Amino acid sequence: MSLQHSLLVLLSESPATGYELSQTFKKGVGYFWKASHQQIYLQLKKLSEVGWLEFVIEVQRGKPDKKIYQITEAGKAVLNAWLSSEVKPPKTNDALLVMIYGGKHVKPDVLIKEIERHKSIHSKGLKKLLDIETLYLSLSDDEKKKYRLPYLTLRRGISGEQSWLVWAEEVLIELMSD
Amino acid sequence: MSLQHSLLVLLSESPATGYELSQTFKKGVGYFWKASHQQIYLQLKKLSEVGWLEFVIEVQRGKPDKKIYQITEAGKAVLNAWLSSEVKPPKTNDALLVMIYGGKHVKPDVLIKEIERHKSIHSKGLKKLLDIETLYLSLSDDEKKKYRLPYLTLRRGISGEQSWLVWAEEVLIELMSD
DNA sequence: TAGACCATGTAACAAGTTACATGATTGC
DNA sequence: GCAATCATGTAACTTGTTACATGGTCTA
């Protein structure tokens, strides 16, 4: 299960709470890994039980206490082993493509509308990624070096979205041509 | 659950057995929908129970009997309603990107090797899709019209793979530059 | 004053994965 | 003789989803 590995990777940078990790998945690395807060809390619990993470509790008033998770030596060992292993390419289940594939049963405008909706989602996604890229490019050479690998994954996100949008344009032109 | 909708889409073309559908997912539309044979058999069963599919049994010797599934009128109605609905963009969970993101804990060659492995998987995938495209492009205009929508989804597969490979080249160059 | 944010979870259910099972036929 | 193909499934387990719960603070 790779959500566990994703959590280990993020926590190998610095300790964090489940909530913070959840935000990171949503805003930071969401372009290559999605996870709900429920799954995150569950897996953090499991990772603690096997001893790959440990946590300290920060008492709060009015809110539930914070659990600040930290990777253990055992966790680091597991992470390093995983980083040298073979991983599966992501499995794709793309409902929009299923829809287009079987789209002859509905009028083209129905498809066009839904594709436009996805276009705006992808455009927003791309914009966000480009903003992060701008931020990265403004860093000093030293800091750029530090974030070199995350930046490469960001590049995947950016070119993936761009490629999607180019395709969508082609599809819309084709669908509107009749 | 969209595996159900994928099955309805495929069966709206022509009746088929679970095994045949399984092959279609593996060889035909696998670039946008993955499903195991176990899940397919399970969902076909569920779809029959709610009356969106029906099946006839073809008795065989030596092998288990064939169940030939067919979409019902109720199934067609459900499919048409779904085709006009809003669907979610696919959720991505890309373990290779997690690996690269956290890759500073291992030597670059470890990453390079794994990326090369994925490169060959994607190259093979692209080759298959291009073969299907060649086939499509050799069809008569009438037949091209018929497969116009599936072809648009094929285009997504092709440009997605091409974009992936371009990115991988950039990453390899970057990783080998030190 | 309403909605977003902070911060954590439980419970019920659906979906997906992995391993196992059967057994004949066809091709290398 | 061994692997692949045909053809279907069960069982155990893991993951993911959806709904619900709590309750204070902060901002428009």
Side-chain angles (χ1 to χ4, degrees):
Chain A
M1 215 281 298
S2 281
L3 171 52
Q4 296 199 342
H5 302 294
S6 306
L7 291 167
L8 291 174
V9 164
L10 292 179
L11 290 169
S12 75
E13 300 295 307
S14 67
T17 67
Y19 186 81
E20 286 162 355
L21 290 163
S22 179
Q23 296 305 106
T24 305
F25 280 112
K26 210 166 133 192
K27 294 170 186 165
V29 301
Y31 58 92
F32 64 79
W33 200 273
K34 307 259 182 228
S36 66
H37 77 268
Q38 292 91 333
Q39 277 298 303
I40 291 165
Y41 287 124
L42 180 68
Q43 296 304 330
L44 287 173
K45 196 180 168 187
K46 285 192 182 176
L47 286 167
S48 305
E49 281 164 5
V50 294
W52 300 345
L53 295 182
E54 56 192 13
F55 60 88
V56 284
I57 291 176
E58 198 181 289
V59 180
Q60 301 201 123
R61 279 186 291 178
K63 304 176 192 179
D65 295 346
K66 264 189 193 173
K67 280 189 187 173
I68 302 164
Y69 286 91
Q70 201 175 350
I71 194 165
T72 62
E73 285 307 314
K76 281 181 196 168
V78 169
L79 176 57
N80 284 337
W82 180 76
L83 286 172
S84 307
S85 72
E86 297 191 343
V87 293
K88 284 185 201 162
K91 66 173 268 248
T92 50
N93 291 92
D94 192 326
L96 182 65
L97 292 183
V98 175
M99 210 172 233
I100 295 171
Y101 190 95
K104 70 173 175 199
H105 303 105
V106 289
K107 290 191 204 107
D109 358 340
V110 176
L111 293 181
I112 289 170
K113 207 183 151 193
E114 181 63 3
I115 294 166
E116 294 279 14
R117 202 176 67 85
H118 283 251
K119 213 180 96 181
S120 92
I121 295 170
H122 285 277
S123 297
K124 273 177 202 149
L126 176 59
K127 207 164 285 172
K128 271 190 193 172
L129 298 181
L130 289 173
D131 285 348
I132 303 175
E133 183 176 42
T134 304
L135 211 73
Y136 171 82
L137 293 173
S138 73
L139 296 174
S140 69
D141 283 1
D142 257 20
E143 283 187 307
K144 270 196 200 121
K145 204 174 243 172
K146 199 175 151 193
Y147 296 112
R148 191 173 68 123
L149 292 173
Y151 178 60
L152 292 176
T153 70
L154 183 68
R155 287 298 314 161
R156 179 77 277 266
I158 291 170
S159 58
E161 290 294 20
Q162 285 171 339
S163 148
W164 193 95
L165 287 165
V166 168
W167 168 80
E169 259 344 286
E170 285 171 15
V171 171
L172 288 171
I173 288 165
E174 171 65 25
L175 290 180
M176 289 189 297
S177 75
D178 49 24
Chain B
M1 214 278 300
S2 280
L3 171 51
Q4 295 198 344
H5 301 293
S6 306
L7 290 168
L8 290 175
V9 164
L10 293 180
L11 290 169
S12 74
E13 300 294 307
S14 67
T17 67
Y19 186 81
E20 285 161 356
L21 290 163
S22 179
Q23 295 306 105
T24 304
F25 280 111
K26 210 166 134 193
K27 294 171 187 164
V29 301
Y31 58 93
F32 64 79
W33 201 273
K34 307 259 183 227
S36 66
H37 77 268
Q38 291 91 333
Q39 277 298 305
I40 292 165
Y41 286 125
L42 180 68
Q43 297 304 331
L44 287 174
K45 197 180 167 186
K46 285 191 182 176
L47 287 167
S48 305
E49 281 164 5
V50 293
W52 299 345
L53 295 182
E54 56 192 11
F55 59 87
V56 285
I57 291 176
E58 197 181 291
V59 180
Q60 300 202 124
R61 277 186 292 178
K63 305 176 192 178
D65 296 345
K66 264 188 192 173
K67 279 188 189 173
I68 303 165
Y69 286 91
Q70 200 176 349
I71 194 165
T72 62
E73 285 307 314
K76 280 181 196 167
V78 170
L79 175 57
N80 284 337
W82 180 76
L83 286 173
S84 308
S85 73
E86 297 192 344
V87 292
K88 284 184 200 161
K91 66 175 269 248
T92 51
N93 291 92
D94 192 327
L96 182 66
L97 291 183
V98 175
M99 210 172 233
I100 296 170
Y101 190 95
K104 69 174 176 200
H105 302 106
V106 290
K107 289 190 205 112
D109 359 340
V110 176
L111 293 182
I112 289 169
K113 208 183 150 192
E114 181 62 3
I115 295 166
E116 294 278 14
R117 201 176 68 82
H118 283 252
K119 213 180 96 180
S120 92
I121 295 170
H122 285 277
S123 297
K124 274 178 202 149
L126 176 58
K127 206 165 286 171
K128 271 189 193 173
L129 298 181
L130 288 173
D131 284 349
I132 303 176
E133 184 177 40
T134 303
L135 211 72
Y136 172 81
L137 292 173
S138 73
L139 295 175
S140 70
D141 282 0
D142 255 20
E143 282 188 308
K144 270 196 197 120
K145 204 174 243 173
K146 199 175 151 191
Y147 296 113
R148 190 173 70 122
L149 292 172
Y151 177 60
L152 291 176
T153 70
L154 182 69
R155 285 299 314 161
R156 178 78 278 264
I158 290 169
S159 59
E161 290 294 19
Q162 284 170 340
S163 149
W164 193 95
L165 288 165
V166 168
W167 166 81
E169 259 345 286
E170 285 171 14
V171 171
L172 288 171
I173 287 164
E174 171 65 26
L175 290 179
M176 290 189 297
S177 76
D178 48 21

